Amino acid sequence: MNILSEHACWGGVQRFVTHDSRECAAPMRLAVYEPPQARAHAVPVLYYLAGLTCTDETFTIKAGAQRLAAEHGLMLVAPDTSPRQPRIAGDDASWDFGIAAGFYVDATVAPWSAHYRMYGYVTRELPEFVAAHFPADVRRQSIMGHSMGGHGALVGALRNPASYRSVSAFAPICAPSRVPWGEKAFTGYLGPDRDDWRQYDASALVEQAPFHSEILVDQGSADQFLAGQLRPELLADACRRSGQGLRLRMQAGYDHSYYFIQTFMPEHVAWHAAALRASG
Amino acid sequence: MNILSEHACWGGVQRFVTHDSRECAAPMRLAVYEPPQARAHAVPVLYYLAGLTCTDETFTIKAGAQRLAAEHGLMLVAPDTSPRQPRIAGDDASWDFGIAAGFYVDATVAPWSAHYRMYGYVTRELPEFVAAHFPADVRRQSIMGHSMGGHGALVGALRNPASYRSVSAFAPICAPSRVPWGEKAFTGYLGPDRDDWRQYDASALVEQAPFHSEILVDQGSADQFLAGQLRPELLADACRRSGQGLRLRMQAGYDHSYYFIQTFMPEHVAWHAAALRASG
């Protein structure tokens, strides 16, 4: 692990680090916030997965979450949104595929399959890495995300319910198999067989096996991507059919930005903190 | 006024706008946060002046202040840090002079004197502009800033005590006449005569005429610019000599970043809110 920078923040420390990822066979950046409580004992971990075009810095700079993590005694872990090197031909040809658009899948199509393994990176490698290098109790962890990262958080939790106490999302891509962003990414990373896409589609997964507790989703009504890319109604329908608890809140007038995210972040962090405090 | 974007945030609205500045004879950008209370009545205004290399977006994205403005019912106004057009030869030759480095002075040296008039822009034009276009009660206004902007806030308040109820700063350049950043900027904008610099040097101004109430300054002890550029001890000495109340707090381990600023922003906004609530 290489520490890029560290900053005192709300009595704790905000760090930016890089490490060599086994899953991605690439160096990966991430941001880790250690709350003041971590000086005395290992603390639970809350992961945040960011959206298209974002980096490990986006949430860290814009979401106002360190204050809340310090209040609740949680570590915040925000990985980058894709590998960035070694470079692959075409990886920056569009903003919604390749660099900063890993879509939290393990690619099976060459050349992406060599490095674009963000699903395994987030769900398998990252908890091990965090446990090895930080005062974290990864038996207690939860996950949230925004947009593409909301999709990643939902998929990670639905496929690994024993790993996460709780899951929430801001404006997630709820049914990626059925919207342009997801269709482009899944075709490129996974190939044309739509059966292979179901393992990365929250609205499909939730019908196979619900999560063990209620899912929290906030969605702005003025979000420019709501009808075309996000489609929370498809997740709501699937949850209804499978008996999955879903607290889907339409937030009047809010858009897709971090001005929306920061407004509702306190309720998301409190939601996760309550689950992480529970015994078990 | 041209609205560039608007975002719902903490029940209010974050706007980015441009307008044609009379003082700068140039288009100027600024960020204005209207708290929810502004829908019912005019609200007090808290200005924030940013530092070198920053824009109107820096504070708006990084400081976490909208939450506090919504809580206290204050409008936040964050101007850009210099004119950016029309371009002047050499305006981007260095990061600490020209674009994003207006230093909150009214330049007297050509060619800068044609546009670089950020002192007049902030203290004279901006209150008029805000009063004309937003539900603001500019009889109640306060000012704060960071680094170069902390210098700007202190100078603005010391020279216009009747205009501002309170002033605070994060890691301000306390004695610009006596440090490299200030010497470069003042020489370039004001010329070599150091007597002309005193009107823009908080440590000189406070000895001539103290502010009407205590000044709040937070300074990180791990700030890389502390000894070479910021020198709060010179402001403290000047305040002691003139009887100016100064609450200078050295914050152990904090650096020059917005991770420092966001940590102490709640106390600064509360400080100003208390002054703005007071009758008078």
Side-chain angles (χ1 to χ4, degrees), chain A residues 12-222:
Chain A
V13 185
Q14 178 66 56
R15 288 194 179 84
F16 293 93
V17 309
T18 58
H19 70 117
D20 291 323
S21 164
R22 177 187 74 226
E23 288 283 345
C24 297
M28 288 295 292
R29 276 184 61 122
L30 67 156
V32 179
Y33 177 70
E34 287 186 29
Q37 295 87 343
R39 281 195 291 272
H41 55 79
V43 296
V45 182
L46 178 53
Y47 297 90
Y48 180 92
L49 306 183
L52 290 165
T53 75
C54 293
T55 73
D56 52 306
E57 284 195 320
T58 313
F59 162 79
T60 307
I61 288 173
K62 296 184 173 183
Q66 292 94 345
R67 173 180 71 91
L68 304 158
E71 176 186 332
H72 292 288
L74 306 179
M75 185 173 297
L76 299 174
V77 176
D80 202 350
T81 51
S82 77
R84 291 174 192 264
Q85 49 173 292
R87 298 297 301 271
I88 294 175
D91 64 8
D92 63 352
S94 56
W95 62 271
D96 55 2
F97 188 83
I99 285 182
F103 251 88
Y104 305 103
V105 302
D106 288 346
T108 54
V109 173
W112 311 103
S113 50
H115 303 291
Y116 279 69
R117 297 178 55 80
M118 290 298 292
Y119 174 77
Y121 176 67
V122 167
T123 62
R124 288 186 296 265
E125 183 171 6
L126 211 43
E128 291 173 34
F129 175 77
V130 168
H133 292 87
F134 298 94
D137 175 5
V138 294
R139 295 166 306 176
R140 291 183 293 156
Q141 53 181 16
S142 291
I143 191 164
M144 62 180 173
H146 171 232
S147 197
M148 174 182 77
H151 140 74
L154 292 170
V155 167
L158 286 163
R159 290 180 59 176
N160 306 277
S163 298
Y164 301 103
R165 299 283 181 95
S166 49
V167 59
S168 75
F170 300 87
I173 302 172
C174 289
S177 302
R178 291 182 271 177
V179 301
W181 279 342
E183 291 175 324
K184 177 176 179 176
F186 288 180
T187 302
Y189 294 130
L190 305 173
D193 186 344
R194 288 176 173 255
D195 283 346
D196 294 338
W197 299 3
R198 294 181 60 83
Q199 63 186 312
Y200 296 113
D201 186 310
S203 295
L205 289 166
V206 78
E207 293 209 57
Q208 292 167 24
F211 191 62
H212 50 65
S213 57
E214 194 177 21
I215 295 169
L216 172 62
V217 173
D218 274 314
Q219 173 61 58
S221 72

Side-chain angles (χ1 to χ4, degrees), chain A residues 7 10-11 67 254-255 262-263, chain B residues 7 10-11 254-255 262-263:
Chain A
H7 311 275
W10 288 98
R67 173 180 71 91
Y254 285 86
D255 63 18
Q262 68 166 261
T263 302
Chain B
H7 312 276
W10 289 98
Y254 284 84
D255 63 19
Q262 67 166 265
T263 302

Side-chain angles (χ1 to χ4, degrees), chain B residues 38-73:
Chain B
R39 282 195 290 272
H41 55 80
V43 296
V45 181
L46 178 54
Y47 298 89
Y48 180 92
L49 305 184
L52 291 165
T53 77
C54 293
T55 73
D56 51 308
E57 284 195 319
T58 313
F59 162 79
T60 308
I61 288 173
K62 296 184 171 183
Q66 292 93 346
R67 172 180 72 90
L68 303 159
E71 176 186 330
H72 291 288

